[in-house]
Amino acid sequence: MVFERYRLERQLQQLEERRNAFLSFLKNVDLPVDKGIYSCFLSKLSKELSAMFDSARSRLASCREKKCYDEVAKILSNISQYLATLEGEARHFHGSKELELKVFFREIFECKEQPSLMPIFSNLFQQCFVEVGLEKVERELKATEEDLQRLQASEGVHPCLYPIWKKLLNYEENLLSEASEKLTSIKGVVAKQPCEAMETLSALARLSEEVRNRLDEYKSLKIELFSLKAVESFIPSHADKIFESEEDVRQMLNTRIFERLYSLLYRILPSVKAERIVESLIEEYAKCIWSEIKR
């Protein structure tokens, strides 16, 4: 039994040296892929292999009978076969041209890579594409949420228009809230369903960019339609003689601001619903202007 333990310990040591040489080779390979993604790939692969070796070493340390040593021998054989598979996949990197590698990574990202070519590497890279993408989208969503919070402040908005302003921005807030929930749900399926996660992530990245672009429009809209000066611009001299009722004000606003508000809302809501909401907001807007005229 002593000899068997020594033999297996020696075999384990040799496999560890082989693993270290393999990882060292990968660290020195120059690939046309984002450094963050490649670092993630190396980290995942290293952790996976370390877990295998730790488990084998722990099992060997507890062995006292031949059956146990036989089990460890089988474990080491499996590790050796797994390393051989990884080494085979790594040879594709060593023997491929840069253009071929660029195609490989593009196909991985688009989930077109054939599993038979580099199944282990492909899956790990897909996971890393998602994880690195998650971090980026999380940062973008957080920055967008902070922008939205600054816009939601009442500063610079006419007091009687603030409820309308808040309602407008609530639609964007709901979108960001849904995006954050989906982002959280993605984290639970990255390992098992990286392609599905990438598809959802791409959609969230587009959504974040669209909201951020609309917020830039809202910044202008805040000054043009919701500021104190904006209200003054809708109230000409002798307004009490020009507008005889709140309905007159509503018709004027319908002509001047309907398209501007609708152009924002129709991008995030069904057209009929967007139109109905804008009409409702204009009615509230008219009440505000009419109350200012009657003061």
Side-chain angles (χ1 to χ4, degrees):
M1 292 298 120
V2 173
F3 174 76
E4 186 66 8
R5 176 184 290 274
Y6 172 78
R7 186 183 69 81
L8 291 173
E9 285 178 345
R10 179 59 182 159
Q11 186 179 351
L12 180 57
Q13 182 181 357
Q14 290 172 341
L15 286 172
E16 285 179 326
E17 291 171 356
R18 182 176 162 192
R19 173 201 63 182
N20 294 339
F22 167 70
L23 291 175
S24 179
F25 164 76
L26 285 180
K27 288 176 183 177
N28 292 298
V29 172
D30 187 21
L31 296 174
V33 67
D34 178 85
K35 289 182 179 179
I37 291 173
Y38 195 49
S39 177
C40 167
F41 165 77
L42 290 175
S43 176
K44 282 184 176 294
L45 195 55
S46 179
K47 287 178 181 177
E48 181 182 5
L49 290 172
S50 292
M52 288 182 178
F53 280 92
D54 290 345
S55 176
R57 189 172 293 282
S58 175
R59 185 67 177 128
L60 178 57
S62 67
C63 280
R64 298 293 182 271
E65 300 175 356
K66 184 179 183 303
K67 182 181 178 181
C68 180
Y69 289 118
D70 289 343
E71 290 175 359
V72 172
K74 179 62 175 175
I75 291 171
L76 296 185
S77 175
N78 290 339
I79 290 176
S80 180
Q81 290 175 16
Y82 189 63
L83 279 173
T85 300
L86 294 176
E87 289 162 347
E89 294 195 12
R91 280 194 287 275
H92 285 287
F93 287 156
H94 188 66
S96 300
K97 296 179 181 180
E98 183 176 357
L99 181 60
E100 293 173 331
L101 291 172
K102 286 182 178 179
V103 171
F104 167 74
F105 285 115
R106 185 177 70 247
E107 290 182 341
I108 285 180
F109 180 72
E110 296 174 351
C111 289
K112 295 178 181 177
E113 173 57 30
Q114 295 299 317
S116 58
L117 182 59
M118 284 191 270
I120 300 172
F121 282 11
S122 295
N123 182 263
L124 290 176
F125 271 117
Q126 284 172 346
Q127 290 181 43
C128 288
F129 273 123
V130 176
E131 290 181 13
V132 172
L134 270 171
E135 293 176 2
K136 181 181 178 182
V137 173
E138 276 183 317
R139 288 195 301 270
E140 290 175 350
L141 280 177
K142 184 178 180 182
T144 305
E145 287 169 354
E146 290 172 352
D147 271 354
L148 178 61
Q149 288 170 4
R150 283 190 287 270
L151 272 174
Q152 286 175 323
S154 60
E155 184 180 357
V157 179
H158 191 286
C160 74
L161 292 180
Y162 184 68
I164 306 172
W165 177 246
K166 194 80 165 70
K167 284 180 182 178
L168 268 178
L169 294 180
N170 278 350
Y171 293 107
E172 304 293 347
E173 185 176 22
N174 291 340
L175 277 179
L176 291 178
S177 178
E178 290 174 11
S180 294
E181 290 177 5
K182 287 182 180 178
L183 205 61
T184 301
S185 69
I186 287 176
K187 294 177 182 179
V189 300
V190 171
K192 294 182 179 180
Q193 299 171 300
C195 287
E196 289 81 351
M198 273 195 283
E199 186 177 342
T200 304
L201 189 63
S202 296
L204 291 180
R206 290 193 298 270
L207 184 147
S208 177
E209 183 179 4
E210 289 167 1
V211 172
R212 194 162 58 251
N213 290 338
R214 283 197 298 273
L215 291 187
D216 286 338
E217 294 184 52
Y218 276 110
K219 291 172 186 176
S220 299
L221 197 71
K222 186 175 184 179
I223 298 170
E224 295 171 21
L225 298 186
F226 290 89
S227 65
L228 295 171
K229 287 187 177 181
V231 171
E232 291 174 3
S233 72
F234 288 121
I235 305 177
S237 301
H238 309 297
D240 55 331
K241 296 179 181 178
I242 298 173
F243 302 111
E244 296 182 356
S245 67
E246 183 180 306
E247 175 60 21
D248 290 340
V249 176
R250 190 193 66 77
Q251 289 180 9
M252 177 273 293
L253 292 173
N254 205 47
T255 301
R256 293 181 60 178
I257 72 173
F258 180 91
E259 289 299 329
R260 189 69 191 281
L261 296 178
Y262 181 75
S263 69
L264 286 168
L265 288 181
Y266 93 97
R267 290 179 238 170
I268 57 177
L269 297 170
S271 58
V272 174
K273 184 176 182 180
E275 184 174 348
R276 188 169 63 248
I277 289 172
V278 172
E279 289 173 351
S280 175
L281 293 177
I282 286 177
E283 286 181 7
E284 293 183 51
Y285 204 116
K287 291 181 188 298
C288 172
I289 301 297
W290 181 243
S291 67
E292 290 294 307
I293 291 173
K294 292 198 299 180
R295 284 176 58 181

